[in-house]
């Protein structure tokens, strides 16, 4: 167990390091720089700014300095938003994204798991077919389609829900719906097939034979085993909600981290790009790591090596 | 002649050679059914898969063939025909109709620059389909080679190669896609100006960078699947036989291992198409995909969002089309999987 955790931890750190290195050299490989686009700036001022942020030094030197600072927890100042630190920006923007993300993950689990079970238990009936059709179509619809269409119908046409801002709970309905749409349909399919698998197992027949009531056998025997694949999907799902929020934030004009990331790339705010990339990569890798460890704990049949 | 039934006398007729007809009657086996024909038969029986194949063919026809004959081109701006509703005509066009000329209606109206929207949608879906198909081929080639080489040689080669796959797998892909597509934009632009690389300019640097991104990141899934197949296949007798006959490693991989997991390769490639289309539309929607004036379904939807109060059809048309394309490819891929490997069917 300890060996496995160490190995995974090493892989996680290595991944974040590789992503950071790759990002650093990729963004510096592009001709131009953060101050090229600003026409108002004089060459002297530009040189002064570059000297201030150490951009005039050799690339490898910059890389070493940056990595050293990162290890000390210093993400540096933003090159474009004067006087603000990258870490401050991340810490103010991320909670907004995280709130929507966490609500979406909860919604997809709370809807996806029961619906998938209902479909599996009613296999072959109309309710099952209806759920399959909806889930199959749902997987094919990109998130930007869901959010733009729901914005059009509920926000613009019917005027039920507000389209911008984040002031009341009503503002959360559409972003959460759009963000959780794909994971929900995916979980429904996953849950249905794994539930069907479990329902055909010998221990289910044994439970029935020894007189365990239907509901008990369903919840205690079937559900606990069937929900395992969903746990493995948690990691990819978190990654999806994190990156999916780029689009949601653009459409619903939510001041979150996703929008900040995209705009920092187009603005060439090197410090911001590095900061957000490292932050998001660490987050995703950590979630994946935790999910894997938890999975090994809740399913004792999996051997650790 | 009356014959004694107990007589052991031979009957000469019984020893005549059998006629062709009798021979045919004795054959119990029918013609052996090949792998392809068997799978094809199952595929044709699958109504959902056939309908989605039909939809795919129709969409391909409209996106690759029709724009060539269409009276409008995707970048042609018509003065006075801005923001037309579907099936309406501009002033100039009405005058031309009044003069007895035949004018093709704008089936989906025009956008704010006066470009016919129907043809833009068609060209947009052409971009999406091209991205899907080309990316799938790239992924197929890289993933299949990588996976089979790793599994075939085994040992430390396998360990090192699969660790690399693991690392790429855990890299948050969208982060990197966004970065790479931005980073490659300028180098590709300069590359397009050099002689011999003119095709980069015609295809569009953004499109090329999307392909490169797929080539760099998305083959890992394919590599894993192929590896797991080849691990089983390489133990089979025909591989030993081929080795004994002196076949080289490359030949064994090409002729024996990869041909024997062809079903998996086809299915995985088909299912890769919709996910590539998905990613391309996502990038285009964020404004990181194909460059203007070339439309893509994602960028069309993205620009239409701002005006969706007044011109909702500009948003709904590309949104529905992209969903339809992805859905058909998904369903067709599922059908192929059931056809090639009925054991997997749930």
């Amino acid at each position: 167990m300890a060996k496995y955790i160490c190995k995974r931890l090493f892989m996680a750190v290595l991944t974040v390091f590789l992503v950071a290195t790759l990002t650093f050299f990729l963004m510096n490989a592009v001709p131009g720089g953060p101050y090229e686009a600003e026409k108002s700036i004089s060459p002297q001022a530009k040189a002064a700014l570059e000297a201030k942020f150490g951009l005039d030094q050799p690339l490898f030197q910059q890389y070493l300095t940056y990595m050293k600072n990162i290890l000390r927890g210093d993400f540096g100042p933003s090159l474009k938003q004067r006087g603000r630190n990258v870490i401050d920006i991340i810490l103010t923007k991320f909670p907004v994204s995280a709130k929507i993300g966490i609500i979406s993950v909860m919604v997809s689990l709370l809807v996806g798991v029961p619906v998938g079970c209902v479909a599996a238990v009613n296999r072959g009936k109309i309710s099952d077919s209806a759920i399959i059709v909806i889930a199959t179509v749902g997987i094919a619809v990109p998130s930007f389609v869901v959010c733009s269409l729901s914005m059009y119908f509920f926000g613009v046409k019917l005027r039920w829900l507000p389209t911008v801002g984040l002031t009341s709970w009503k503002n959360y309905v559409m972003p959460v719906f759009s963000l959780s749409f794909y994971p929900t349909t995916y979980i429904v399919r996953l849950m249905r097939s794994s539930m069907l698998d479990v329902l055909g197992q010998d221990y289910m027949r044994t439970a029935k034979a020894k007189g365990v009531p239907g509901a008990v056998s369903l919840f205690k025997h079937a559900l606990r085993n069937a929900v395992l694949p969903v746990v493995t999907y948690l990691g990819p799902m978190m990654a999806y909600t994190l990156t999916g929020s780029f689009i949601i934030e653009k459409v619903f004009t939510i001041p979150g981290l996703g929008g900040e990331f995209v705009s920092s790339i187009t603005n060439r705010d090197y410090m911001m790009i590095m900061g957000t990339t490292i932050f998001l990569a660490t987050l995703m890798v950590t979630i994946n790591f935790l999910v894997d460890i938890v999975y090994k704990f809740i399913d004792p049949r999996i051997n650790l090596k | 002649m009356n014959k004694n039934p107990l007589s052991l006398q031979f009957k000469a007729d019984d020893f005549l050679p059998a006629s062709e007809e009798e021979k045919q009657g004795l054959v119990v086996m029918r013609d052996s059914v090949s792998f392809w024909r068997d799978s094809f038969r199952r595929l044709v029986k699958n109504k959902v898969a056939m309908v989605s194949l039909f939809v795919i063919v129709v969409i391909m026809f409209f996106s690759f063939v029709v724009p060539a004959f269409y009276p409008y081109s995707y970048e042609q701006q018509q003065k006075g025909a801005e923001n037309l509703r579907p099936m309406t005509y501009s002033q100039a066009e009405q005058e031309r109709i009044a003069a007895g000329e035949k004018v093709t209606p704008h089936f989906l109206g025009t956008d704010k620059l006066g470009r016919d929207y129907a043809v833009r949608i068609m060209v947009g879906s052409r971009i999406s389909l091209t991205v899907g198909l080309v990316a799938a081929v790239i992924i197929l080639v890289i993933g299949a080679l990588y996976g089979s080489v790793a599994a075939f040689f085994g040992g430390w080669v396998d360990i090192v190669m699969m660790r690399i796959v693991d690392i790429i797998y855990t890299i948050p892909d969208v982060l990197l896609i966004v970065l790479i597509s931005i980073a490659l934009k300028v180098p590709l632009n300069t590359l397009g100006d050099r002689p011999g690389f003119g095709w980069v300019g015609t295809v569009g640097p953004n499109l090329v960078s999307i392909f490169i991104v797929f080539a760099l990141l998305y083959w890992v899934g394919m590599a894993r699947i192929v590896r797991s197949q080849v691990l089983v296949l390489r133990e089979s007798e025909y591989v030993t036989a081929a080795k004994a006959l002196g076949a080289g490693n490359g030949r064994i991989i090409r002729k024996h291992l990869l041909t024997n997991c062809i079903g998996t390769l086809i299915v995985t490639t088909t299912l890769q198409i919709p996910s590539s289309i998905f990613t391309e539309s996502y990038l285009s929607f964020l404004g990181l995909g194909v460059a203007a004036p070339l439309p893509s379904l994602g960028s069309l939807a993205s620009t239409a969002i701002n005006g969706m109060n007044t011109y909702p059809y500009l948003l709904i048309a590309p949104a529905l089309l992209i969903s339809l394309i992805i859905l058909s490819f998904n369903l067709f891929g599922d059908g192929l999987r059931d056809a090639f490997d009925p054991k997997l069917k749930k």
Side-chain angles (χ1 to χ4, degrees):
Chain A
M1 186 75 200
K3 200 178 159 199
Y4 176 79
I5 292 180
C6 283
K7 199 174 124 193
R8 281 304 314 263
L9 207 58
F10 173 72
M11 287 285 286
V13 173
L14 185 68
T15 307
V16 174
F17 170 75
L18 279 178
V19 171
T21 310
L22 209 61
T23 313
F24 189 89
F25 288 106
L26 262 179
M27 71 185 187
N28 278 299
V30 190
Y35 301 114
E36 299 286 317
E38 291 176 35
K39 291 195 181 71
S40 57
I41 213 163
S42 69
Q44 289 86 356
K46 189 183 147 208
L49 274 170
E50 285 184 343
K52 185 182 164 200
F53 294 119
L55 296 176
D56 51 346
Q57 285 170 11
L59 193 57
F60 196 69
Q61 189 59 43
Q62 285 182 43
Y63 173 71
L64 286 183
T65 324
Y66 187 80
M67 282 303 183
K68 249 184 247 161
N69 287 340
I70 285 290
L71 287 181
R72 278 193 269 118
D74 177 11
F75 281 77
S78 163
L79 300 183
K80 282 296 172 83
Q81 308 182 27
R82 306 267 157 82
R84 294 190 72 189
N85 274 333
V86 170
I87 197 77
D88 294 337
I89 299 176
I90 292 179
L91 288 183
T92 47
K93 300 277 176 152
F94 178 64
V96 182
S97 309
K99 198 167 169 190
I100 294 178
I102 291 173
I103 300 177
S104 304
V105 168
M106 302 293 265
V107 167
S108 14
L109 283 176
L110 289 177
V111 176
V113 171
V115 172
C117 286
V118 168
V121 172
N122 296 315
R123 184 185 191 176
K125 291 184 192 158
I126 296 175
S127 57
D128 178 34
S129 321
I131 289 172
I132 293 181
V133 169
I134 294 173
T136 315
V137 173
I139 282 188
V141 183
S143 62
F144 71 83
V145 172
V146 181
C147 63
S148 46
L149 289 187
S150 67
M151 182 147 160
Y152 174 66
F153 285 111
F154 299 116
V156 176
K157 263 272 140 97
L158 301 169
R159 298 202 175 278
W160 284 354
L161 297 161
T163 51
V164 283
L166 273 184
T167 39
S168 74
W169 64 270
K170 275 185 177 172
N171 292 90
Y172 281 92
V173 175
M174 278 199 288
V176 167
F177 172 72
S178 322
L179 198 52
S180 58
F181 191 74
Y182 177 83
T184 309
T185 48
Y186 193 90
I187 290 179
V188 167
R189 272 169 65 124
L190 200 64
M191 194 63 208
R192 178 178 174 274
S193 70
S194 84
M195 194 70 175
L196 282 180
D197 228 31
V198 168
L199 287 179
Q201 294 286 330
D202 287 344
Y203 54 77
M204 289 307 291
R205 202 183 318 132
T206 312
K208 198 177 176 188
K210 71 179 187 185
V212 177
V216 176
S217 77
L218 197 64
F219 282 103
K220 225 179 145 189
H221 296 75
L223 191 61
R224 276 177 68 175
N225 283 297
V227 89
L228 289 173
V230 177
V231 176
T232 43
Y233 177 60
L234 275 178
M237 175 165 72
M238 300 269 194
Y240 173 85
T241 34
L242 270 176
T243 49
S245 66
F246 294 7
I247 287 210
I248 309 290
E249 283 168 19
K250 186 188 168 191
V251 174
F252 295 104
T253 50
I254 295 166
L257 195 57
E260 197 64 44
F261 178 66
V262 176
S263 71
S264 76
I265 290 181
T266 37
N267 282 339
R268 298 294 198 72
D269 190 339
Y270 287 163
M271 292 293 182
M272 234 2 245
I273 298 178
M274 285 303 287
T276 27
T277 310
I278 293 178
F279 182 77
L280 289 176
T282 314
L283 201 67
M284 288 185 199
V285 169
T286 315
I287 292 168
N288 267 329
F289 172 70
L290 288 179
V291 166
D292 275 12
I293 302 291
V294 167
Y295 189 62
K296 312 258 152 168
F297 266 114
I298 58 173
D299 191 0
R301 283 170 303 186
I302 286 178
N303 68 322
L304 296 160
K305 59 172 174 67
Chain B
M1 187 180 112
N2 218 353
K3 212 181 104 205
N4 183 356
L6 295 174
S7 150
L8 284 172
Q9 210 173 6
F10 289 124
K11 207 164 120 196
D13 295 354
D14 286 350
F15 290 85
L16 288 174
S19 69
E20 277 306 309
E21 215 172 292
E22 277 173 311
K23 274 190 204 162
Q24 281 292 319
L26 283 172
V27 173
V28 197
M29 305 258 287
R30 56 188 169 125
D31 285 342
S32 71
V33 180
S34 73
F35 170 74
W36 294 107
R37 190 176 293 178
D38 197 32
S39 312
F40 185 70
R41 189 175 49 86
R42 273 197 294 267
L43 183 66
V44 171
K45 262 201 233 156
N46 189 336
K47 280 198 198 95
V48 177
M50 290 327 282
V51 170
S52 16
L53 181 63
F54 177 71
V55 172
I56 293 171
V57 170
V58 168
I59 291 176
M60 280 192 171
F61 176 73
F62 270 100
S63 39
F64 288 100
V65 182
V66 172
F69 305 105
Y70 210 68
Y72 307 106
S73 91
Y74 72 90
E75 50 185 357
Q76 169 196 358
Q77 303 181 4
Q78 296 159 56
K79 281 252 166 65
E82 288 88 5
N83 289 330
L84 287 180
R85 305 227 156 241
M87 303 304 287
T88 53
Y89 298 96
S90 68
Q91 198 105 47
E93 282 166 344
Q94 275 169 345
E95 282 163 17
R96 276 166 59 204
I97 294 171
E101 234 180 296
K102 222 172 145 135
V103 175
T104 317
H106 301 286
F107 290 101
L108 286 169
T110 54
D111 66 3
K112 65 168 185 263
L113 294 173
R115 295 175 292 198
D116 183 76
Y117 207 61
V119 74
R120 280 185 74 74
I121 294 262
M122 285 189 249
V123 175
S125 72
R126 177 198 294 179
I127 301 291
S128 298
L129 287 170
T130 314
V131 168
L133 296 173
V134 175
V137 171
I138 294 174
I139 290 162
L140 170 71
V141 171
I142 300 182
L145 275 181
Y146 195 94
S148 52
V149 166
F152 183 73
F153 291 104
W156 63 268
V157 177
D158 186 31
I159 293 174
V160 171
M161 287 176 90
M162 280 300 126
R163 277 299 149 276
I164 296 174
V165 166
D166 283 347
I167 289 174
I168 296 182
Y169 215 75
T170 40
I171 286 177
D173 47 359
V174 175
L175 291 187
L176 223 57
I177 288 180
V178 172
L179 269 170
I180 294 178
S181 52
I182 297 264
L184 289 177
K185 211 187 236 170
V186 181
L188 281 174
N189 268 330
T190 47
L191 184 72
D193 295 337
R194 294 217 188 119
F197 288 99
W199 56 271
V200 176
T202 38
V203 180
N206 285 32
L207 217 52
V208 176
S209 75
I210 290 178
F211 293 147
I212 294 179
V213 168
F214 281 121
L216 284 175
L217 292 179
Y218 272 78
W219 50 269
V220 286
M222 174 71 90
R224 279 188 169 176
I225 293 170
V226 171
R227 175 179 171 268
S228 66
Q229 288 258 313
V230 171
L231 273 185
V232 180
L233 291 176
R234 73 170 184 162
E235 303 299 331
S236 47
E237 280 84 2
Y238 54 79
V239 173
T240 322
K243 243 183 216 161
L245 287 168
N249 291 335
R251 189 187 158 80
I252 293 180
I253 289 179
R254 260 183 301 116
K255 285 267 168 189
H256 298 282
L257 297 177
L258 284 182
T259 36
N260 270 296
C261 45
I262 193 107
T264 324
L265 290 182
I266 292 176
V267 172
T268 322
T269 311
T270 316
L271 289 174
Q272 191 62 55
I273 296 173
S275 86
S276 309
I277 293 178
F278 210 100
T279 314
E280 186 276 328
S281 67
Y282 174 95
L283 284 175
S284 294
F285 190 83
L286 284 178
L288 305 170
V290 292
L294 210 59
S296 133
L297 291 177
S299 66
L300 287 175
S302 172
T303 34
I305 278 204
N306 297 324
M308 71 177 166
N309 257 329
T310 19
Y311 311 107
Y313 48 91
L314 294 186
L315 171 66
I316 294 173
L320 286 186
L321 187 58
I322 190 103
S323 310
L324 185 66
I325 291 177
I326 296 176
L327 179 68
S328 328
F329 271 108
N330 269 340
L331 290 176
F332 183 63
D334 285 347
L336 274 181
R337 189 181 47 209
D338 293 344
F340 280 119
D341 198 351
K343 277 175 293 181
L344 281 176
K345 195 168 183 175
K346 284 247 162 98

